[in-house]
Amino acid sequence: MQTKAAAEVSTLAEARARAVATTAGVTLDAWRTNTSPCQGQRGEIADDGRWTLSGFAGLPVPPADQIATLRRIRDMWRQQGYEITEDRTFADGTRGAVSMRDPGTGITISLTTTASRDRVALILATGCYRPAAGEDPANA
């Protein structure tokens, strides 16, 4: 497990989210992040300072373009060597989801069309890190 400064991980996460928005041809709306303690396989909370970052945003993709946009982003991820962990169109044929995992960094990104069809929700999660000296992102 690597030791990372929260600002370094936040910058990397935002760059990944912006790359998705750029590929979608839209702005990254209301990007926000939070840090939290890492969880074990049985849901136990790490008590040694290990932490993870989550990021959230909306992509204002018009309803008629959402499925094509998800496919375009999926193709970009494949070209970059990321593992596609979900790729589906919902039963109504107008909504869908695509997710990836970057084996090099452990970052995952999930994109899902919203029920209101006004945007695509972006959820990003990083792997776990040890805190940099003087930081405590697990309890921020």
Side-chain angles (χ1 to χ4, degrees):
M1 182 176 312
Q2 296 180 339
T3 299
K4 295 270 189 182
E8 178 184 353
V9 175
S10 180
T11 298
L12 176 62
E14 185 172 353
R16 293 291 173 85
R18 289 201 181 282
V20 169
T22 298
T23 300
V26 297
T27 59
L28 187 66
D29 276 0
W31 172 250
R32 65 193 185 287
T33 62
N34 67 294
T35 58
S36 60
C38 290
Q39 290 188 0
Q41 292 181 348
R42 286 173 260 133
E44 68 275 14
I45 301 294
D47 60 4
D48 62 359
R50 288 177 290 154
W51 65 280
T52 184
L53 179 137
S54 300
F56 311 91
L59 303 175
V61 178
D65 299 335
Q66 290 179 355
I67 295 297
T69 298
L70 292 178
R71 290 180 183 145
R72 191 167 55 253
I73 293 166
R74 176 205 59 207
D75 293 345
M76 173 195 69
W77 286 340
R78 279 192 180 138
Q79 289 173 352
Q80 293 176 343
Y82 302 146
E83 172 189 354
I84 304 302
T85 57
E86 180 181 29
D87 182 13
R88 65 187 177 113
T89 302
F90 299 158
D92 68 5
T94 64
R95 298 180 53 239
V98 64
S99 301
M100 69 76 139
R101 180 179 180 280
D102 177 353
T105 64
I107 288 177
T108 61
I109 300 177
S110 297
L111 301 171
T112 305
T113 55
T114 60
S116 62
R117 306 231 21 245
D118 64 339
R119 64 192 53 251
V120 172
L122 182 152
I123 302 171
L124 179 146
T126 69
C128 289
Y129 303 100
R130 286 187 201 99
E135 290 190 347
D136 188 13
N139 297 300

